[in-house]
Amino acid sequence: MPKLIVTLDGPAGVGKSTMAKQLAKELSIPYLDTGAMFRAIAWKLGEGAWRWDETELEGEMAGFDFTLSGVGETSILSLNGVEIGDEIRTEQVGMWASNVATLPVVRTFLKQAQRSIGDRFALVAEGRDMGTAIFPDAPYKFFLDATVEERARRRFLQLRDMGKPAELEELKEQIEARDLQDRSRTVAPLKPADDAITIDTTDLSKTEVFEALVQGVKK
Ligand code: C5P
């Protein structure tokens, strides 16, 4: 029997990770943060890796092995046996991730890694192209959206809670630049799948968004 896959896509700062964790807990299955995979690759390879040639990138990525363990909010994503930590959670690494995410060679590598995790586990899979490119046959697909002002505010609070204070206006500009690049790339751009349920979360509380997701899955 195919495994249960719930896809959760949407732009930066919309609250996908928070919702993916909660929903995975509710369903007692792991969640997969695919943004963390792009961030980890960008972080490991370092600034400017997006200008390397394809063979060099392929060679480096051949040494990368992503694994997932645990369930619900305690799902752990590791790269080569080491848990991916908070060092990837800055807007700068987010932009590096967006830069490497434009490269077909990186997307092909991660597509294989993500699908192989999806072959082994039921998942709440969150990212940009989960419903469109990676798990097009998933039975439950959601696209979360919100205004850029609200998303910058949410990211601001999240970074502050992690002890990484940022400037709100600057965050807004960075998020806008990253979204533009994510929406306009040729391979697997950020967009809702045709059969996804879109939820505008701008004026919704976390509880309301969560309830909308649970309702959608119960249907
Ligand atoms: O979700 P997060 O902000 O951690 O993602 C970082 C970047 O990784 C995104 O801006 C996007 O460019 C890229 N990404 C992607 N496809 C995914 C997940 C993330 O292109 N499925």
Side-chain angles (χ1 to χ4, degrees):
M1 207 174 82
K3 300 207 167 41
L4 168 70
I5 306 267
V6 181
T7 65
L8 214 52
D9 291 306
V14 76
K16 296 184 298 291
S17 292
T18 311
M19 284 305 133
K21 282 180 203 174
Q22 273 195 39
L23 191 59
K25 184 178 176 198
E26 174 80 13
L27 300 171
S28 300
I29 59 177
Y31 82 94
L32 178 66
D33 175 354
T34 61
M37 299 171 102
F38 285 92
R39 284 172 183 261
I41 287 185
W43 168 257
K44 276 267 181 194
L45 299 181
E47 182 162 23
W50 47 93
R51 287 188 287 269
W52 298 0
D53 73 48
E54 285 204 347
T55 323
E56 202 176 353
L57 280 168
E58 251 167 358
E60 287 291 329
M61 288 189 301
F64 290 168
D65 181 30
F66 286 96
T67 47
L68 185 66
S69 61
V71 165
E73 80 246 78
T74 51
S75 306
I76 296 171
L77 183 64
S78 303
L79 174 53
N80 295 344
V82 180
E83 181 175 354
I84 298 171
D86 279 349
E87 66 279 1
I88 61 164
R89 302 283 165 202
T90 61
E91 244 334 286
Q92 187 189 39
V93 177
M95 197 62 205
W96 291 7
S98 177
N99 292 345
V100 297
T102 62
L103 305 173
V105 67
V106 173
R107 302 207 74 87
T108 302
F109 172 78
L110 279 183
K111 184 198 263 192
Q112 281 163 3
Q114 291 156 1
R115 285 195 178 158
S116 106
I117 292 174
D119 283 341
R120 298 179 48 223
F121 300 104
L123 286 179
V124 177
E126 61 119 327
R128 303 291 186 289
D129 60 344
M130 294 297 102
T132 52
I134 306 299
F135 300 115
D137 299 328
Y140 303 106
K141 298 183 183 180
F142 299 96
F143 190 88
L144 301 185
D145 215 344
T147 61
V148 67
E149 287 75 19
E150 176 59 18
R151 292 186 286 118
R153 195 186 69 84
R154 290 178 192 171
R155 187 49 67 92
F156 172 83
L157 296 175
Q158 189 187 36
L159 289 171
R160 195 194 57 185
D161 290 349
M162 283 197 279
K164 296 180 194 288
E167 214 259 301
L168 189 60
E169 197 49 38
E170 196 184 335
L171 261 183
K172 187 179 152 226
E173 282 164 21
Q174 289 167 331
I175 283 180
E176 268 174 333
R178 190 144 68 90
D179 279 354
L180 180 65
Q181 175 158 278
D182 288 347
R183 287 185 212 277
S184 49
R185 69 178 170 231
T186 22
V187 194
L190 165 66
K191 64 168 184 199
D194 290 341
D195 51 350
I197 298 176
T198 295
I199 305 174
D200 182 350
T201 70
T202 308
D203 297 317
L204 299 183
S205 68
K206 283 185 196 168
T207 313
E208 287 169 325
V209 179
F210 179 64
E211 274 165 9
L213 293 173
V214 172
Q215 283 301 319
V217 173
K218 279 192 180 149
K219 263 192 209 158

